[in-house]
Amino acid sequence: MSLYEEQFKNYLKNNDLKYTNERKELLKAITILKDHFHVEDIYQQVRKQKSDVSLATVYRTIPILIESGLITETLSEGDKIVYEKIYNEPRHDHMVCLNCGKIMEFSCPGMEKLQKNICREHSFIPVEHRLELRGYCRNCWKNIKQKINNGKYNQELK
Amino acid sequence: MSLYEEQFKNYLKNNDLKYTNERKELLKAITILKDHFHVEDIYQQVRKQKSDVSLATVYRTIPILIESGLITETLSEGDKIVYEKIYNEPRHDHMVCLNCGKIMEFSCPGMEKLQKNICREHSFIPVEHRLELRGYCRNCWKNIKQKINNGKYNQELK
DNA sequence: ATATAATTGAGAATGATTATCAATTGCATT
DNA sequence: AATGCAATTGATAATCATTCTCAATTATAT
């Protein structure tokens, strides 16, 4: 039994929750899914596993996966919420390209120290953080610059 | 005419949009609203101004206010989106109490430098950022600690 | 094996946001 | 000031992710 599964089962037991087949399938699904995923991705993944967990159960299980420390809610791109695995993952933050939507991860140890200091100054007990840099990735920015040079963005840029 | 209004009108003119009464009322509303507000708060504020701007128009106007640089989408607490004014406001970030929901602002110049460096390293052109620290404020943490001492949180804490 | 409380699936309900469309209005042009 | 046209609006219907309901099922302690 993986540590992942171990942690999930412990959490369930400590909270009088049952380790059902559906929850087993959902756990498997998120171990298979990579990087960033949506609710719908989880649902599609369990269907690939030939198990028919209902969408309602997917929604019901997400808070459990979060509270057991396996996944976290990461970015909110417009309407849909993005989740990602956090169990044993090194801490990192995100850059989101406003043009192509690509999500890039980065880590910055210096930032952590600053955040801890700030929390201490405000007597705030941190549990989690979200840092999101929004802008343009290398490729998209290159394209945009070209368009500007061709005079296409003149109106917007005044 | 305030700079705020000036900027809004310029944006409208540059984009072939009209400066209607409804937009005037909405602009007034956000200048009156403080700190962080929801769509519903804007709607309530225009009603206080005795003008009947429809909810549909409030929703329609928000993207314009964002693109003209007057407000920004700040935090996503669960479902509802939180907006705040950014025009001429100094840069700051947020701490959110997971217990009482209180939002506190803080600023940290050191963090900005780090973020700029990271963007440069990744050839990423930043447009905006969001940093959210989630945890417990002084008061709530004090209460939680008391409960723990009284043995109430034992089950959750194992 | 039994009892019991938790869980599930199917579909209805919710609630924030968006789309529709006929009527209205700002504004550039005469 | 009057005209014409495209943008805007309000009312309401539509959408769509998420949550709720409830009868039937299932995991787990005893």
Side-chain angles (χ1 to χ4, degrees), chain A residues 18-21 39 56 59-60 80-81:
Chain A
K18 295 171 179 173
Y19 192 42
T20 62
N21 281 327
V39 174
Y59 276 106
R60 280 190 280 241
K80 285 186 190 168
I81 293 171

Side-chain angles (χ1 to χ4, degrees), chain B residues 15-27:
Chain B
N15 290 277
D16 291 317
L17 302 174
K18 294 172 180 172
Y19 191 43
T20 63
N21 281 325
E22 288 81 1
R23 286 173 182 164
K24 202 176 292 185
E25 290 296 333
L26 286 166
L27 179 67

Side-chain angles (χ1 to χ4, degrees), chain A residues 3-157:
Chain A
L3 286 173
Y4 221 69
E5 193 178 2
E6 189 83 52
Q7 172 157 343
F8 192 46
K9 287 179 74 169
N10 279 343
Y11 177 83
L12 294 176
K13 181 162 279 181
N14 289 335
N15 291 277
D16 292 316
L17 301 174
K18 295 171 179 173
Y19 192 42
T20 62
N21 281 327
E22 287 81 1
R23 286 172 183 165
K24 202 177 292 185
E25 290 296 332
L26 285 166
L27 179 66
K28 186 177 167 193
I30 66 157
T31 63
I32 291 171
L33 286 169
K34 304 218 162 69
D35 290 341
H36 310 94
F37 47 87
H38 294 170
V39 174
E40 194 58 25
D41 298 323
I42 303 175
Y43 184 58
Q44 292 306 327
Q45 176 58 38
V46 290
R47 300 195 72 204
K48 273 189 202 154
Q49 294 163 207
K50 288 177 282 176
S51 94
D52 41 358
V53 175
S54 74
L55 190 53
T57 296
V58 176
Y59 276 106
R60 280 190 280 241
T61 308
I62 285 172
I64 300 177
L65 291 166
I66 291 176
E67 275 154 39
S68 62
L70 297 182
I71 67 173
T72 190
E73 193 175 299
T74 296
L75 302 161
S76 41
E77 18 162 30
D79 41 1
K80 285 186 190 168
I81 293 171
V82 180
Y83 298 92
E84 77 181 331
K85 288 178 273 188
I86 51 171
Y87 184 67
N88 267 345
E89 297 278 333
R91 177 197 147 119
H92 63 263
D93 298 300
H94 299 93
M95 289 175 178
V96 187
C97 179
L98 294 170
N99 189 59
C100 67
K102 189 166 65 183
I103 298 174
M104 289 156 284
E105 296 182 355
F106 69 89
S107 68
C108 180
M111 205 105 67
E112 293 179 53
K113 279 186 202 157
L114 283 177
Q115 289 177 15
K116 277 183 192 154
N117 287 343
I118 286 166
C119 290
R120 196 162 35 240
E121 281 168 25
H122 290 76
S123 308
F124 185 83
I125 309 296
V127 172
E128 55 172 347
H129 79 286
R130 267 187 232 189
L131 171 58
E132 196 179 318
L133 302 178
R134 304 164 74 85
Y136 297 100
C137 70
R138 196 195 317 252
N139 275 340
C140 288
W141 186 245
K142 205 170 61 188
N143 292 336
I144 290 169
K145 271 198 302 192
Q146 273 182 354
K147 284 188 192 162
I148 291 173
N149 289 338
N150 292 342
K152 293 194 183 165
Y153 272 68
N154 280 354
Q155 192 176 33
E156 285 93 310
L157 296 170

